[in-house]
Each structure stands twice: as structure tokens, then as C-alpha cells.
Amino acid sequence: DKDFASAGITLTSFGEIDNTGSKDVTGLMQAAINRAAKKKKALIVPSGTYLCKQLVLPSNCNLILEAGAELLLNPINYRDFNNEAFRRPSFIVSEGKNIRISGLGTINCNATELFTRHGRRGRIRALLFQDCQKVTVQGVTVLDGGAWTTDYLGSQDVTIKNVKVIS
């Protein structure tokens, strides 16, 4: 697709990042997402577990989760997912244009742990695309969602292909 970068930047090129799921990497992950999108390059997330709070995908974001890559929601504080701009608690959010999430990796909303820690307040979406244009979600697995697993509220030109939802 000519609207998305053909060349990619690997997450590890932005510096050392924990891929064991034992340390929160939200700041580093968000910075890498923003820089890759600004350059109109794909961000390639290699195999590993990346513990994160809410991630915001800007316009021209192309996030590729390689096989074995897992974005794991950090369940410490459910308030980390109540972004006023989006009005709905969510793990990965966007209001942009030309957004793509693809690959054979996993987006793990960690709802079981959220419910254990926070009860019903821990009900969050895995993906929220709000008023977006040209969205593609392809090949990924969305795991353990706590509410609407994926939501494309007011979005246009949405393609969902070969996505596995286990919730």
C-alpha cells in the first residue's frame, strides 16, 4: 500500500528495551511509534513481551508485530487507560489517518489480571480507533480483551483481515 512505508525501523534501533515483560516500556515504545510515524516508516516490533500502558498511534503509523511479539497491557492502574481525548478506556488508541497494525504478533489486553486487581473498573478495550480514516488491522491476535475488544467508532475505510480474537 503506497500510503504506508515500505521500509521499516526495528524497535531495538531506538535503544535498549526490555522484551521480557518484567519492566514497563511505555515511554520508549511510544517514542519509537511517534518517531517512526513521523518518518513515515513502519515500526517493526521483534519477538518478545513488551509491558505497556496506553499507546497512542499517530497518523501514518505502521506497526508490525513480528511472530512472537506481544504487547502486554500493564494492569497496575486502570486509570492509565482513561485518556480524556478518547472517552473510552483502551489499550491502543488512535484518532489518526493511515493507521496499520499487522504481523503475526499479539496484543494482550490482560483483562483477567485487570479484573482481579480492579473489578469492573478494569473493563477496557484492546483497540479503539475513533474517527480514524484508512485503518488496517491484519494478521494479529487480540487476546484477553476486557470489554469491546476492538472498536472502530466513527472510523472510515477500515480493513480487518485475518485477525484472531481470543477473549
Side-chain angles (χ1 to χ4, degrees):
D1 188 329
K2 65 183 178 183
D3 292 328
F4 293 103
S6 58
I9 304 169
T10 302
L11 177 63
T12 53
S13 69
F14 290 97
E16 193 171 318
I17 187 166
D18 179 80
N19 66 354
T20 67
S22 60
K23 180 180 176 186
D24 188 281
V25 298
T26 306
L28 293 169
M29 183 69 74
Q30 187 67 62
I33 287 168
N34 293 346
R35 287 179 58 200
K38 187 174 182 176
K39 294 179 179 186
K40 295 188 178 180
K41 301 281 187 184
L43 178 64
I44 301 166
V45 180
S47 181
T49 300
Y50 303 91
L51 185 65
C52 297
K53 296 179 186 103
Q54 187 174 74
L55 298 171
V56 179
L57 306 184
S59 290
N60 300 311
C61 180
N62 184 358
L63 186 62
I64 300 172
L65 303 177
E66 290 187 336
E70 176 183 41
L71 298 180
L72 176 64
L73 179 137
N74 186 340
I76 296 299
N77 187 348
Y78 73 92
R79 288 183 184 94
D80 291 331
F81 304 94
N82 286 325
N83 183 323
E84 285 184 27
F86 293 97
R87 299 183 313 274
R88 290 166 177 81
S90 306
F91 183 18
I92 298 175
V93 297
S94 183
E95 288 181 309
K97 298 177 183 177
N98 299 323
I99 307 295
R100 174 176 283 203
I101 301 174
S102 63
L104 298 176
T106 300
I107 298 166
N108 185 342
C109 207
N110 210 0
T112 304
E113 183 64 24
L114 272 172
F115 288 160
T116 299
R117 290 176 183 242
H118 308 291
R120 290 187 54 79
R121 293 179 298 185
R123 293 186 68 220
I124 71 166
R125 289 160 177 76
L127 301 174
L128 172 60
F129 297 95
Q130 183 173 303
D131 299 318
C132 292
Q133 293 179 4
K134 211 154 189 210
V135 174
T136 300
V137 181
Q138 182 174 347
V140 296
T141 297
V142 181
L143 183 63
D144 202 16
W148 293 84
T149 305
T150 62
D151 197 347
Y152 303 87
L153 183 67
S155 294
Q156 298 176 0
D157 197 5
V158 175
T159 302
I160 305 164
K161 191 173 185 180
N162 298 323
V163 173
K164 184 186 288 187
V165 176
I166 303 170
S167 188

